[in-house]
């Protein structure tokens, strides 16, 4: 899968607003996962073109083989504590796509939940094994044939990005959960 910096066209939108001194996003060849231009909370280390340093698309997590980023887009918010709100902690990775874009299953598994969750909007949860799940939030639509209890394979479309729930821009909020606890999709396994 190629990861394209779709954020380049999004200058001015909330999730990808530019800031003075932001890296020029136009210098790369289009592969690799990138951080959106502008101010990005909890951004991972990146090179001058915004490419995430040391990015590997697939990680082994507690017996599951998972994608670190299951949609093409740029990182508009990383995992970790957020400034401002006391106790606010971002339990996932936000991947901005500007317009709705296909999200794929992060790994092989069984669809555990399809529906609305408070704040998350339209959400899909996939169980990969007894310990590992992934959550996909703020969707605009679900995959047409997606059913709870159905098996899915890594890379299979499960829906499209949107801004349902508590979201101001079209993006995917992606969580990797081990025994119910969220871990950083970009750092786990390193
Ligand atoms: Zn998020």
């Amino acid at each position: 899968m190629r990861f394209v910096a779709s954020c380049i066209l999004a200058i001015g939108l909330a999730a990808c607003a530019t800031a003075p001194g932001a890296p020029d996003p136009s210098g790369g060849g289009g592969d690799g996962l990138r951080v959106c231009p502008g101010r990005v909370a909890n951004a991972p280390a990146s090179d001058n073109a915004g490419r995430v340093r040391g990015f590997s698309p697939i990680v082994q997590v507690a017996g599951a083989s998972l994608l670190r980023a299951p949609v093409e887009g740029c990182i508009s918010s990383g995992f970790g504590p957020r400034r401002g709100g006391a106790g606010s902690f971002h339990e996932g990775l936000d991947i901005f796509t500007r317009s709705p874009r296909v999200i794929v299953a992060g790994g092989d598994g069984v669809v555990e939940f399809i529906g609305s969750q408070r704040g998350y909007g339209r959400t899909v949860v996939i169980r990969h094994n007894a310990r590992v799940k992934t959550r996909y939030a703020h969707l605009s639509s679900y995959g047409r044939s997606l059913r709870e209890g159905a098996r899915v394979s890594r890379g299979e479309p499960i829906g499209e990005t949107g801004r349902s729930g508590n979201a101001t821009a079209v993006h995917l909020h992606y969580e990797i959960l081990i025994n119910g606890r969220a871990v950083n999709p970009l750092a786990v396994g390193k």
Side-chain angles (χ1 to χ4, degrees):
M1 179 186 294
R2 286 175 67 239
F3 293 87
V4 179
S6 62
C7 217
I8 292 166
L9 299 172
I11 290 166
L13 291 184
C16 285
T18 50
D24 174 6
S26 62
D31 57 351
L33 181 66
R34 289 172 192 243
V35 178
C36 299
R39 193 155 48 91
V40 171
N42 297 313
S46 59
D47 66 14
N48 288 338
R51 286 181 292 245
V52 175
R53 290 190 190 278
F55 176 70
S56 56
I58 295 172
V59 60
Q60 304 298 322
V61 180
S65 177
L66 299 178
L67 297 173
R68 293 188 193 273
V71 67
E72 291 184 16
C74 61
I75 296 169
S76 54
S77 185
F79 179 95
R82 278 178 160 162
R83 270 188 303 179
S88 171
F89 191 95
H90 189 225
E91 298 205 317
L93 181 67
D94 287 352
I95 304 172
F96 175 78
T97 67
R98 192 168 71 93
S99 56
R101 182 167 279 187
V102 171
I103 302 160
V104 299
D108 298 349
V110 173
V111 178
E112 183 177 271
F113 177 84
I114 305 169
S116 268
Q117 292 185 334
R118 187 172 181 164
Y120 288 117
R122 293 188 190 91
T123 299
V124 172
V125 177
I126 298 174
R127 173 176 284 283
H128 302 285
N129 61 34
R131 297 173 60 200
V132 181
K133 298 182 189 183
T134 49
R135 175 187 275 134
Y136 312 76
H138 308 309
L139 276 56
S140 59
S141 64
Y142 305 115
R144 211 184 306 164
S145 59
L146 203 68
R147 298 286 180 272
E148 288 179 358
R151 294 205 64 84
V152 289
S153 300
R154 192 180 72 204
E156 187 176 326
I158 58 167
E160 292 199 346
T161 53
R163 51 182 184 186
S164 59
N166 184 15
T168 56
V170 176
H171 73 286
L172 172 67
H173 171 93
Y174 178 54
E175 294 181 6
I176 296 176
L177 301 151
I178 303 177
N179 297 324
R181 288 186 72 97
V183 298
N184 186 342
L186 295 180
V188 67
K190 286 184 176 175

